């Protein structure tokens, strides 16, 4: 369901603002980026990784000697100069980067309020198009990301005032004034542990950018796991779809696109992320549809297939909210941000019991895909993929993203792995406790 990784919220009121002060000026196609400096950085949940080890001091001894390395092969299918940046958290809570020499680097942090640039060269240059750069990642780690960029990305730290731990501040795909905004980039997520081995994921919950594909071979003789990822020109494909949709329904789909000074598409942001970052937009987009859904299920049950021991749950809107028997809370009518972001009423809350934990992702996914008013939509999930995104309103970003995926796999919203029993795996993950070689195709699979 939600991504395996936790990119912790940096919640300090004294930090830079979390939204833009004024709405962005509407452009003909997308938002032209204007890369700024440290004063333009916006701190958010999605662009920080919070360390917990005091001072982020590197280990005095080499704790990785008894832990198996993870071999990673990076294949440059994009061409041109491409850099990789590898960030993660070690088992003791230190944040770290893998350097080109194969060692982990532990950045220090000095200021709790203003992000400080990391002076160390963090880039790992890839070879020319068609070449493979082989790395070994020493020991276990969590909350990892491998960034790939057709250029140089900028990374910063903040100091936790309570214990001196370092907090990484990473490139922000939502902020057109971010110092790295002018760079075409993408990423893959990974965790490597003694208990579960490798979990690696391709996710487009935040944005569509530089395409990446992946393949995992294992030591147990199992067939390779392959996720093809996005097409080579996915960012342009998705942006073109957003521009076309904006012309049809007069919603700011086209403003999800970010372009460079020459009009080249750099990335396409997800609508929930756009609303959260910029405020406004899509305000009444879902209102009529939600009203119709509430009306339908006031007179007939909304059956949620929990896909676990709870079986089918018969929910209703007769009270004005979605109520599922035995649930620890109910669901009020959601806003556009609640739906696109699967947050707010669809976010996980303290005290949520098994009924709510089962209902939440299935209701949000059904709204995203606009299947609740279709014949057969009274049971969720039930309808096949071919019935998703047929009617407006719907999440046109998710549809365009899946259309641009070479094999249809990879999250386009947080609960995008909700599917009927027996349906193919829609996530973009490779997983094995017996990982051998993890290969990433930087620029898209071929």
């Amino acid at each position: 369901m939600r991504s395996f990784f936790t990119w912790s919220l940096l919640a300090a009121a004294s930090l830079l603002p979390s939204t833009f002060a004024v709405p962005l000026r509407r452009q003909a196609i997308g938002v032209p980026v204007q890369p700024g400096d440290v004063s333009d950085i916006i701190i958010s949940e999605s662009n920080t990784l919070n360390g917990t080890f005091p001072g982020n001091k590197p280990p005095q001894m080499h704790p990785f000697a008894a832990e198996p390395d993870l071999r990673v092969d990076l294949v440059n299918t994009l061409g041109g100069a491409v850099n990789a940046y590898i960030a993660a958290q070690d088992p003791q809570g230190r944040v770290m980067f893998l350097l080109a020499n194969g060692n982990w680097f532990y950045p220090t942090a000095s200021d709790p309020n203003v992000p400080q640039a990391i002076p160390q060269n963090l880039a790992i240059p890839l070879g020319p198009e068609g070449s493979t750069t082989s790395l070994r990642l020493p020991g276990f780690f969590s909350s990892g990301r491998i960034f790939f960029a057709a250029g140089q990305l900028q990374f910063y730290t903040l100091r936790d005032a309570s214990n001196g731990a370092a907090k990484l501040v990473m490139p922000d795909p939502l902020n057109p004034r971010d110092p790295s905004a002018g760079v075409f980039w993408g990423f893959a997520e990974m965790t490597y542990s003694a208990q579960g081995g490798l979990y690696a994921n391709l996710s487009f919950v935040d944005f569509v950018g530089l395409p990446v594909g992946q393949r995992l071979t294992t030591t147990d003789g199992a067939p390779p796991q392959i996720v093809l990822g996005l097409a080579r020109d996915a960012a342009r494909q998705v942006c073109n779809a957003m521009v076309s949709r904006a012309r049809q329904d007069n919603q700011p789909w086209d403003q999800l696109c970010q372009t460079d000074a020459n009009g080249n598409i750099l990335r396409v942001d997800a609508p929930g992320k756009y609303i959260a970052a910029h405020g406004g937009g899509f305000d009444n987009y879902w209102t009529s549809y939600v009203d119709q859904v509430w009306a339908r299920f006031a007179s007939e049950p909304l059956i949620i297939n929990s896909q676990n021991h709870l079986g089918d749950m018969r929910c209703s809107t007769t009270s004005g909210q979605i109520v599922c028997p035995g649930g620890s809370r109910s669901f009020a009518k959601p806003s556009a941000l609640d739906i696109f972001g699967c947050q707010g009423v669809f976010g996980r809350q303290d005290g949520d019991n098994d009924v709510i934990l089962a209902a939440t992702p299935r209701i949000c996914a059904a709204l995203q895909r606009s299947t609740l008013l279709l014949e057969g939509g009274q049971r969720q999930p039930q309808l096949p993929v071919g019935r998703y995104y047929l009617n407006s309103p719907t999440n046109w970003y998710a549809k365009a993203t899946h259309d641009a995926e070479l094999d249809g796999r990879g999250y386009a919203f947080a609960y995008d792995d909700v599917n009927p029993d027996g349906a193919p795996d829609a996530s973009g993950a490779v997983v094995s406790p017996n990982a051998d070689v993890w290969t990433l195709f930087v620029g898209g699979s071929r």
Side-chain angles (χ1 to χ4, degrees):
M1 302 220 171
R2 290 186 183 274
S3 172
F4 182 83
F5 309 95
T6 302
W7 297 81
S8 301
L9 176 64
L10 185 58
S14 61
L15 296 180
L16 299 173
S18 60
T19 57
F20 296 96
V22 294
L24 294 173
R25 181 168 58 90
R26 189 68 172 261
Q27 302 293 325
I29 296 180
V31 176
V33 301
Q34 297 178 311
D37 56 25
V38 66
S39 66
D40 296 295
I41 293 175
I42 294 172
I43 305 300
S44 71
E45 179 180 1
S46 61
N47 74 329
T48 54
L49 174 59
N50 293 359
T52 59
F53 193 89
N56 207 51
K57 296 178 181 178
Q60 294 182 353
M61 301 181 63
H62 297 286
F64 308 120
E67 300 174 359
D69 293 351
L70 174 65
R71 177 178 161 186
V72 180
D73 285 355
L74 308 178
V75 182
N76 183 354
T77 63
L78 183 69
V82 178
N83 291 310
Y85 302 83
I86 303 178
Q89 190 174 72
D90 79 4
Q92 287 73 48
R94 303 176 182 89
V95 293
M96 56 189 186
F97 282 90
L98 189 77
L99 300 182
N101 63 11
N103 296 321
W104 290 113
F105 166 71
Y106 300 82
T108 58
S110 59
D111 195 304
N113 298 313
V114 179
Q116 303 296 305
I118 298 174
Q120 180 74 30
N121 181 10
L122 304 174
I124 301 175
L126 303 193
E129 183 173 6
S131 68
T132 298
T133 301
S134 293
L135 307 172
R136 288 196 173 273
L137 277 59
F140 298 127
F141 53 84
S142 63
S143 300
R145 282 191 177 185
I146 302 186
F147 300 81
F148 301 104
Q152 300 280 339
L153 296 179
Q154 305 299 316
F155 295 84
Y156 301 81
T157 60
L158 283 167
R159 182 177 181 273
D160 187 323
S162 64
N163 64 2
K167 307 178 183 185
L168 292 185
V169 181
M170 297 166 289
D172 182 359
L174 309 176
N175 178 6
R177 294 282 298 166
D178 187 84
S180 298
V183 180
F184 183 47
W185 63 276
F187 68 92
E189 299 175 314
M190 76 283 190
T191 276
Y192 185 50
S193 68
Q195 296 76 26
L198 177 67
Y199 180 104
N201 184 51
L202 304 181
S203 174
F204 315 110
V205 171
D206 293 343
F207 73 106
V208 166
L210 191 156
V212 180
Q214 63 175 339
R215 180 182 67 212
L216 177 64
T217 58
T218 60
T219 59
D220 57 8
Q225 299 176 42
I226 298 172
V227 181
L228 296 178
L230 294 168
R232 186 179 179 89
D233 63 342
R236 177 161 294 280
Q237 286 186 42
V238 176
C239 182
N240 286 344
M242 297 301 93
V243 171
S244 175
R245 178 50 52 180
R247 290 169 179 161
Q248 295 178 58
D249 63 17
N250 199 34
Q251 296 290 334
W253 295 104
D254 56 322
Q255 300 302 286
L256 305 184
C257 307
Q258 290 188 10
T259 64
D260 65 15
N262 297 317
N264 298 309
I265 307 301
L266 294 170
R267 65 193 61 88
V268 184
D269 291 330
K273 301 297 182 180
Y274 173 89
I275 297 170
H278 303 295
F282 302 97
D283 287 343
N284 299 310
Y285 183 65
W286 291 98
T287 302
S288 177
Y289 183 83
V290 168
D291 288 344
Q292 293 176 66
V293 169
W294 254 242
R296 176 178 186 178
F297 297 112
S299 59
E300 64 176 299
L302 170 58
I303 301 171
I304 303 297
N305 175 11
S306 68
Q307 299 175 298
N308 62 26
H309 67 281
L310 296 173
D312 283 351
M313 305 184 299
R314 297 172 69 87
C315 307
S316 172
T317 61
T318 54
S319 70
Q321 300 193 356
I322 295 180
V323 176
C324 299
S328 54
R329 62 181 174 94
S330 56
F331 300 93
K333 287 184 177 181
S335 68
L337 181 56
D338 291 344
I339 295 172
F340 282 132
C342 285
Q343 59 189 77
V345 298
F346 297 126
R348 186 161 184 168
Q349 301 179 15
D350 292 342
D352 282 354
N353 64 6
D354 287 349
V355 170
I356 298 303
L357 294 177
T360 297
R362 290 160 179 82
I363 296 171
C364 190
L367 286 165
Q368 297 260 12
R369 298 163 176 163
S370 305
T371 58
L372 285 161
L373 298 180
L374 300 179
E375 183 179 354
Q378 75 278 7
R379 188 171 190 267
Q380 295 288 340
Q382 176 170 267
L383 296 175
V385 172
R387 303 295 301 280
Y388 300 169
Y389 313 115
L390 293 180
N391 302 299
S392 191
T394 198
N395 186 342
W396 294 111
Y397 166 86
K399 181 185 187 306
T401 298
H402 286 305
D403 288 346
E405 292 169 349
L406 297 174
D407 54 6
R409 296 181 62 194
Y411 293 84
F413 61 88
Y415 294 129
D416 208 4
D417 59 352
V418 171
N419 282 296
D421 293 330
D425 174 26
S427 75
V430 296
V431 186
S432 177
N434 303 299
D436 184 19
V437 181
W438 180 34
T439 302
L440 291 151
F441 299 91
V442 185
S445 300
R446 289 184 175 176

Tab-separated table of all heavy atoms in Angstrom, residues 85-128:
chain	number	residue	atom	x	y	z
A	85	TYR	N	23.416	9.451	-6.895
A	85	TYR	CA	23.608	9.877	-5.502
A	85	TYR	C	22.871	8.864	-4.639
A	85	TYR	O	21.680	8.605	-4.863
A	85	TYR	CB	23.035	11.272	-5.267
A	85	TYR	CG	23.615	12.363	-6.135
A	85	TYR	CD1	23.136	12.567	-7.432
A	85	TYR	CD2	24.632	13.191	-5.669
A	85	TYR	CE1	23.656	13.568	-8.240
A	85	TYR	CE2	25.157	14.201	-6.469
A	85	TYR	CZ	24.661	14.377	-7.753
A	85	TYR	OH	25.177	15.371	-8.551
A	86	ILE	N	23.557	8.297	-3.667
A	86	ILE	CA	22.971	7.223	-2.864
A	86	ILE	C	22.936	7.650	-1.404
A	86	ILE	O	23.975	7.815	-0.759
A	86	ILE	CB	23.771	5.921	-3.024
A	86	ILE	CG1	23.831	5.524	-4.513
A	86	ILE	CG2	23.141	4.806	-2.194
A	86	ILE	CD1	24.642	4.277	-4.794
A	87	ALA	N	21.724	7.836	-0.869
A	87	ALA	CA	21.525	8.251	0.520
A	87	ALA	C	20.742	7.173	1.252
A	87	ALA	O	19.861	6.526	0.673
A	87	ALA	CB	20.777	9.579	0.582
A	88	ALA	N	21.041	6.998	2.527
A	88	ALA	CA	20.347	5.988	3.327
A	88	ALA	C	20.578	6.274	4.802
A	88	ALA	O	21.267	7.235	5.174
A	88	ALA	CB	20.832	4.581	2.964
A	89	GLN	N	20.006	5.419	5.630
A	89	GLN	CA	20.175	5.500	7.083
A	89	GLN	C	20.736	4.172	7.561
A	89	GLN	O	20.234	3.104	7.170
A	89	GLN	CB	18.826	5.785	7.739
A	89	GLN	CG	18.899	6.122	9.215
A	89	GLN	CD	17.540	6.523	9.745
A	89	GLN	OE1	16.650	5.694	9.902
A	89	GLN	NE2	17.357	7.800	10.024
A	90	ASP	N	21.798	4.214	8.384
A	90	ASP	CA	22.364	2.961	8.855
A	90	ASP	C	21.537	2.414	10.013
A	90	ASP	O	20.615	3.086	10.511
A	90	ASP	CB	23.854	3.126	9.194
A	90	ASP	CG	24.118	3.794	10.544
A	90	ASP	OD1	23.169	4.093	11.301
A	90	ASP	OD2	25.308	4.035	10.851
A	91	PRO	N	21.790	1.174	10.468
A	91	PRO	CA	20.942	0.570	11.508
A	91	PRO	C	20.923	1.323	12.834
A	91	PRO	O	20.016	1.135	13.636
A	91	PRO	CB	21.556	-0.832	11.681
A	91	PRO	CG	22.165	-1.145	10.355
A	91	PRO	CD	22.721	0.177	9.882
A	92	GLN	N	21.906	2.191	13.079
A	92	GLN	CA	21.927	2.989	14.308
A	92	GLN	C	21.287	4.364	14.136
A	92	GLN	O	21.255	5.156	15.079
A	92	GLN	CB	23.369	3.157	14.804
A	92	GLN	CG	23.979	1.895	15.413
A	92	GLN	CD	24.310	0.856	14.359
A	92	GLN	OE1	24.928	1.175	13.334
A	92	GLN	NE2	23.899	-0.387	14.587
A	93	GLY	N	20.791	4.667	12.968
A	93	GLY	CA	20.092	5.922	12.755
A	93	GLY	C	20.942	7.045	12.175
A	93	GLY	O	20.491	8.189	12.131
A	94	ARG	N	22.156	6.734	11.738
A	94	ARG	CA	22.967	7.752	11.082
A	94	ARG	C	22.521	7.916	9.635
A	94	ARG	O	22.235	6.926	8.956
A	94	ARG	CB	24.446	7.366	11.098
A	94	ARG	CG	25.052	7.115	12.474
A	94	ARG	CD	26.489	6.642	12.307
A	94	ARG	NE	27.154	6.336	13.559
A	94	ARG	CZ	27.121	5.136	14.149
A	94	ARG	NH1	26.443	4.135	13.591
A	94	ARG	NH2	27.757	4.939	15.292
A	95	VAL	N	22.514	9.140	9.140
A	95	VAL	CA	22.279	9.359	7.718
A	95	VAL	C	23.625	9.355	7.007
A	95	VAL	O	24.654	9.780	7.569
A	95	VAL	CB	21.518	10.679	7.468
A	95	VAL	CG1	20.113	10.589	8.015
A	95	VAL	CG2	22.240	11.875	8.065
A	96	MET	N	23.636	8.858	5.772
A	96	MET	CA	24.919	8.650	5.103
A	96	MET	C	24.734	8.644	3.592
A	96	MET	O	23.634	8.435	3.082
A	96	MET	CB	25.539	7.326	5.562
A	96	MET	CG	24.648	6.111	5.354
A	96	MET	SD	25.308	4.619	6.148
A	96	MET	CE	24.138	3.379	5.557
A	97	PHE	N	25.838	8.895	2.893
A	97	PHE	CA	25.900	8.830	1.436
A	97	PHE	C	27.003	7.866	1.039
A	97	PHE	O	28.071	7.848	1.648
A	97	PHE	CB	26.232	10.201	0.833
A	97	PHE	CG	25.085	11.158	0.767
A	97	PHE	CD1	24.827	12.017	1.817
A	97	PHE	CD2	24.272	11.208	-0.360
A	97	PHE	CE1	23.780	12.929	1.748
A	97	PHE	CE2	23.220	12.110	-0.429
A	97	PHE	CZ	22.966	12.964	0.627
A	98	LEU	N	26.753	7.093	-0.014
A	98	LEU	CA	27.830	6.289	-0.576
A	98	LEU	C	28.638	7.164	-1.519
A	98	LEU	O	28.090	7.826	-2.403
A	98	LEU	CB	27.276	5.087	-1.339
A	98	LEU	CG	28.341	4.080	-1.761
A	98	LEU	CD1	28.765	3.237	-0.561
A	98	LEU	CD2	27.853	3.194	-2.906
A	99	LEU	N	29.948	7.168	-1.345
A	99	LEU	CA	30.832	7.945	-2.219
A	99	LEU	C	31.325	7.076	-3.379
A	99	LEU	O	31.177	5.846	-3.372
A	99	LEU	CB	32.014	8.477	-1.420
A	99	LEU	CG	31.675	9.405	-0.246
A	99	LEU	CD1	32.959	9.881	0.425
A	99	LEU	CD2	30.820	10.580	-0.695
A	100	ALA	N	31.935	7.722	-4.352
A	100	ALA	CA	32.420	7.007	-5.527
A	100	ALA	C	33.505	5.991	-5.170
A	100	ALA	O	33.719	5.027	-5.911
A	100	ALA	CB	32.944	8.003	-6.558
A	101	ASN	N	34.185	6.171	-4.020
A	101	ASN	CA	35.218	5.220	-3.605
A	101	ASN	C	34.651	3.989	-2.906
A	101	ASN	O	35.411	3.130	-2.460
A	101	ASN	CB	36.253	5.910	-2.711
A	101	ASN	CG	35.653	6.429	-1.402
A	101	ASN	OD1	34.525	6.114	-1.036
A	101	ASN	ND2	36.439	7.233	-0.689
A	102	GLY	N	33.328	3.908	-2.764
A	102	GLY	CA	32.691	2.742	-2.172
A	102	GLY	C	32.497	2.806	-0.681
A	102	GLY	O	32.011	1.844	-0.078
A	103	ASN	N	32.850	3.913	-0.056
A	103	ASN	CA	32.691	4.073	1.387
A	103	ASN	C	31.495	4.955	1.711
A	103	ASN	O	31.133	5.841	0.941
A	103	ASN	CB	33.953	4.700	1.987
A	103	ASN	CG	35.167	3.810	1.840
A	103	ASN	OD1	35.073	2.589	1.981
A	103	ASN	ND2	36.314	4.404	1.539
A	104	TRP	N	30.912	4.714	2.884
A	104	TRP	CA	29.839	5.571	3.363
A	104	TRP	C	30.419	6.856	3.951
A	104	TRP	O	31.424	6.825	4.657
A	104	TRP	CB	29.002	4.862	4.428
A	104	TRP	CG	28.149	3.725	3.933
A	104	TRP	CD1	28.292	2.404	4.228
A	104	TRP	CD2	26.999	3.821	3.084
A	104	TRP	NE1	27.316	1.653	3.604
A	104	TRP	CE2	26.502	2.498	2.895
A	104	TRP	CE3	26.347	4.879	2.447
A	104	TRP	CZ2	25.382	2.226	2.105
A	104	TRP	CZ3	25.227	4.601	1.669
A	104	TRP	CH2	24.762	3.302	1.499
A	105	PHE	N	29.772	7.958	3.669
A	105	PHE	CA	30.150	9.267	4.191
A	105	PHE	C	29.029	9.767	5.087
A	105	PHE	O	27.845	9.698	4.713
A	105	PHE	CB	30.387	10.245	3.038
A	105	PHE	CG	30.444	11.685	3.453
A	105	PHE	CD1	31.528	12.177	4.167
A	105	PHE	CD2	29.408	12.554	3.138
A	105	PHE	CE1	31.577	13.500	4.553
A	105	PHE	CE2	29.442	13.879	3.505
A	105	PHE	CZ	30.538	14.364	4.224
A	106	TYR	N	29.396	10.272	6.288
A	106	TYR	CA	28.425	10.722	7.279
A	106	TYR	C	28.487	12.246	7.394
A	106	TYR	O	29.407	12.789	8.016
A	106	TYR	CB	28.709	10.064	8.632
A	106	TYR	CG	28.625	8.551	8.587
A	106	TYR	CD1	29.712	7.798	8.140
A	106	TYR	CD2	27.464	7.892	8.949
A	106	TYR	CE1	29.636	6.408	8.068
A	106	TYR	CE2	27.385	6.499	8.890
A	106	TYR	CZ	28.473	5.773	8.440
A	106	TYR	OH	28.377	4.396	8.364
A	107	PRO	N	27.560	12.966	6.792
A	107	PRO	CA	27.633	14.429	6.824
A	107	PRO	C	27.337	14.980	8.209
A	107	PRO	O	26.560	14.399	8.978
A	107	PRO	CB	26.561	14.858	5.822
A	107	PRO	CG	25.565	13.745	5.844
A	107	PRO	CD	26.373	12.488	6.060
A	108	THR	N	27.954	16.085	8.530
A	108	THR	CA	27.673	16.765	9.786
A	108	THR	C	26.627	17.849	9.553
A	108	THR	O	26.329	18.213	8.412
A	108	THR	CB	28.948	17.399	10.361
A	108	THR	OG1	29.488	18.317	9.392
A	108	THR	CG2	29.977	16.330	10.679
A	109	ALA	N	26.071	18.333	10.637
A	109	ALA	CA	25.055	19.388	10.553
A	109	ALA	C	25.337	20.403	11.638
A	109	ALA	O	25.612	20.040	12.789
A	109	ALA	CB	23.663	18.794	10.726
A	110	SER	N	25.264	21.693	11.298
A	110	SER	CA	25.627	22.733	12.255
A	110	SER	C	24.509	23.699	12.589
A	110	SER	O	24.552	24.353	13.633
A	110	SER	CB	26.826	23.529	11.712
A	110	SER	OG	26.492	24.124	10.459
A	111	ASP	N	23.502	23.818	11.730
A	111	ASP	CA	22.469	24.840	11.922
A	111	ASP	C	21.097	24.180	11.991
A	111	ASP	O	20.745	23.392	11.116
A	111	ASP	CB	22.509	25.852	10.784
A	111	ASP	CG	21.730	27.119	11.104
A	111	ASP	OD1	20.532	27.015	11.413
A	111	ASP	OD2	22.326	28.216	11.051
A	112	PRO	N	20.296	24.486	13.016
A	112	PRO	CA	18.964	23.874	13.122
A	112	PRO	C	17.894	24.578	12.290
A	112	PRO	O	16.778	24.052	12.171
A	112	PRO	CB	18.650	24.000	14.611
A	112	PRO	CG	19.371	25.232	15.037
A	112	PRO	CD	20.626	25.281	14.215
A	113	ASN	N	18.207	25.725	11.737
A	113	ASN	CA	17.184	26.521	11.060
A	113	ASN	C	17.420	26.720	9.564
A	113	ASN	O	16.478	26.717	8.784
A	113	ASN	CB	17.066	27.891	11.732
A	113	ASN	CG	16.645	27.791	13.183
A	113	ASN	OD1	15.703	27.078	13.505
A	113	ASN	ND2	17.351	28.494	14.058
A	114	VAL	N	18.673	26.929	9.181
A	114	VAL	CA	18.990	27.201	7.781
A	114	VAL	C	19.752	26.005	7.204
A	114	VAL	O	20.806	25.637	7.722
A	114	VAL	CB	19.839	28.475	7.640
A	114	VAL	CG1	20.179	28.729	6.174
A	114	VAL	CG2	19.098	29.666	8.236
A	115	PRO	N	19.250	25.374	6.152
A	115	PRO	CA	19.959	24.238	5.557
A	115	PRO	C	21.368	24.624	5.128
A	115	PRO	O	21.593	25.694	4.546
A	115	PRO	CB	19.087	23.876	4.350
A	115	PRO	CG	17.726	24.391	4.685
A	115	PRO	CD	17.958	25.644	5.479
A	116	GLN	N	22.332	23.744	5.429
A	116	GLN	CA	23.728	23.961	5.078
A	116	GLN	C	24.118	22.996	3.962
A	116	GLN	O	23.875	21.794	4.061
A	116	GLN	CB	24.632	23.734	6.290
A	116	GLN	CG	24.285	24.616	7.489
A	116	GLN	CD	24.488	26.093	7.202
A	116	GLN	OE1	25.576	26.513	6.802
A	116	GLN	NE2	23.443	26.883	7.387
A	117	ALA	N	24.725	23.513	2.903
A	117	ALA	CA	25.148	22.669	1.791
A	117	ALA	C	26.212	21.677	2.248
A	117	ALA	O	27.091	22.009	3.044
A	117	ALA	CB	25.679	23.524	0.651
A	118	ILE	N	26.126	20.446	1.760
A	118	ILE	CA	27.137	19.437	2.056
A	118	ILE	C	28.310	19.664	1.104
A	118	ILE	O	28.153	19.572	-0.119
A	118	ILE	CB	26.565	18.024	1.881
A	118	ILE	CG1	25.409	17.797	2.862
A	118	ILE	CG2	27.651	16.973	2.080
A	118	ILE	CD1	24.689	16.485	2.680
A	119	PRO	N	29.494	19.991	1.626
A	119	PRO	CA	30.621	20.333	0.743
A	119	PRO	C	31.230	19.135	0.024
A	119	PRO	O	31.869	19.290	-1.022
A	119	PRO	CB	31.624	20.987	1.686
A	119	PRO	CG	31.325	20.398	3.029
A	119	PRO	CD	29.839	20.168	3.046
A	120	GLN	N	31.049	17.927	0.558
A	120	GLN	CA	31.641	16.729	-0.035
A	120	GLN	C	31.052	16.470	-1.417
A	120	GLN	O	29.863	16.686	-1.652
A	120	GLN	CB	31.354	15.524	0.874
A	120	GLN	CG	31.914	14.208	0.396
A	120	GLN	CD	33.410	14.105	0.586
A	120	GLN	OE1	33.954	14.705	1.506
A	120	GLN	NE2	34.086	13.356	-0.263
A	121	ASN	N	31.871	16.004	-2.344
A	121	ASN	CA	31.373	15.588	-3.657
A	121	ASN	C	30.640	14.264	-3.502
A	121	ASN	O	31.248	13.226	-3.244
A	121	ASN	CB	32.529	15.454	-4.654
A	121	ASN	CG	32.057	15.048	-6.043
A	121	ASN	OD1	30.846	15.040	-6.325
A	121	ASN	ND2	32.982	14.712	-6.910
A	122	LEU	N	29.345	14.290	-3.648
A	122	LEU	CA	28.509	13.114	-3.418
A	122	LEU	C	28.176	12.360	-4.697
A	122	LEU	O	27.592	11.279	-4.650
A	122	LEU	CB	27.203	13.537	-2.735
A	122	LEU	CG	27.341	14.318	-1.426
A	122	LEU	CD1	25.974	14.799	-0.955
A	122	LEU	CD2	28.005	13.465	-0.353
A	123	ALA	N	28.518	12.931	-5.847
A	123	ALA	CA	28.126	12.347	-7.132
A	123	ALA	C	28.954	11.110	-7.454
A	123	ALA	O	30.166	11.062	-7.223
A	123	ALA	CB	28.285	13.375	-8.243
A	124	ILE	N	28.280	10.096	-8.006
A	124	ILE	CA	28.928	8.910	-8.561
A	124	ILE	C	28.663	8.940	-10.062
A	124	ILE	O	27.554	8.636	-10.512
A	124	ILE	CB	28.376	7.617	-7.928
A	124	ILE	CG1	28.586	7.631	-6.412
A	124	ILE	CG2	29.040	6.397	-8.566
A	124	ILE	CD1	27.957	6.445	-5.697
A	125	PRO	N	29.648	9.356	-10.871
A	125	PRO	CA	29.415	9.473	-12.311
A	125	PRO	C	29.224	8.092	-12.952
A	125	PRO	O	29.960	7.142	-12.653
A	125	PRO	CB	30.687	10.147	-12.829
A	125	PRO	CG	31.371	10.702	-11.611
A	125	PRO	CD	30.989	9.797	-10.489
A	126	LEU	N	28.224	7.997	-13.825
A	126	LEU	CA	28.036	6.774	-14.594
A	126	LEU	C	28.858	6.842	-15.868
A	126	LEU	O	29.247	7.927	-16.330
A	126	LEU	CB	26.553	6.574	-14.947
A	126	LEU	CG	25.556	6.526	-13.792
A	126	LEU	CD1	24.208	6.004	-14.293
A	126	LEU	CD2	26.055	5.684	-12.637
A	127	GLY	N	29.116	5.681	-16.443
A	127	GLY	CA	29.837	5.623	-17.701
A	127	GLY	C	28.962	6.074	-18.860
A	127	GLY	O	27.799	6.463	-18.683
A	128	PRO	N	29.485	6.026	-20.076
A	128	PRO	CA	28.731	6.487	-21.243
A	128	PRO	C	27.529	5.588	-21.522
A	128	PRO	O	27.365	4.522	-20.909
A	128	PRO	CB	29.761	6.417	-22.370
A	128	PRO	CG	30.759	5.410	-21.913
A	128	PRO	CD	30.828	5.548	-20.430
